[in-house]
Amino acid sequence: MGWVTVYIRGKSGFKSEVLNQLHQSDFKFMQGFANEKGVALYWIDDDDQIRSFKKAIGSKTIFKFRLKFYMTVEEFVETRFNGSPKLEQWELN
């Protein structure tokens, strides 16, 4: 079993709500620590999909706090400085 890093950014107050939702679900995760203000870091099992992770958090929480999910540091840094997400992030596979 390996772990995949997921970075989450959202409106203030999202961290505790996300953590509560994940604890209520049976989703396997490890909470990390990010020095950046307004960013939460989680590790999820590499067998799980990001879609399952988002389902465990719940759509109400995702929309309420306008959560954005990043799978790499590069994605996170690029959107932080450019202000717009990469096109590939919105394309359907």
Side-chain angles (χ1 to χ4, degrees), residues 21-79:
Q21 294 291 346
L22 288 172
H23 282 305
Q24 291 177 7
S25 71
D26 288 333
F27 194 84
K28 296 179 200 171
F29 73 97
M30 289 191 305
Q31 184 181 5
F33 176 78
N35 283 335
E36 183 77 24
K37 186 177 180 181
V39 176
L41 174 89
Y42 294 94
W43 287 286
I44 62 173
D45 187 349
D46 63 356
D47 291 337
D48 289 322
Q49 301 290 325
I50 187 71
R51 183 177 176 97
S52 301
F53 183 60
K54 289 179 180 181
K55 280 185 176 182
I57 294 170
S59 61
K60 279 187 173 182
T61 302
I62 291 172
F63 288 113
K64 178 181 178 181
F65 293 101
R66 304 286 189 234
L67 300 181
K68 293 180 176 54
F69 297 81
Y70 305 96
M71 300 301 291
T72 65
V73 174
E74 290 81 16
E75 283 180 15
F76 171 71
V77 170
E78 184 173 317
T79 56

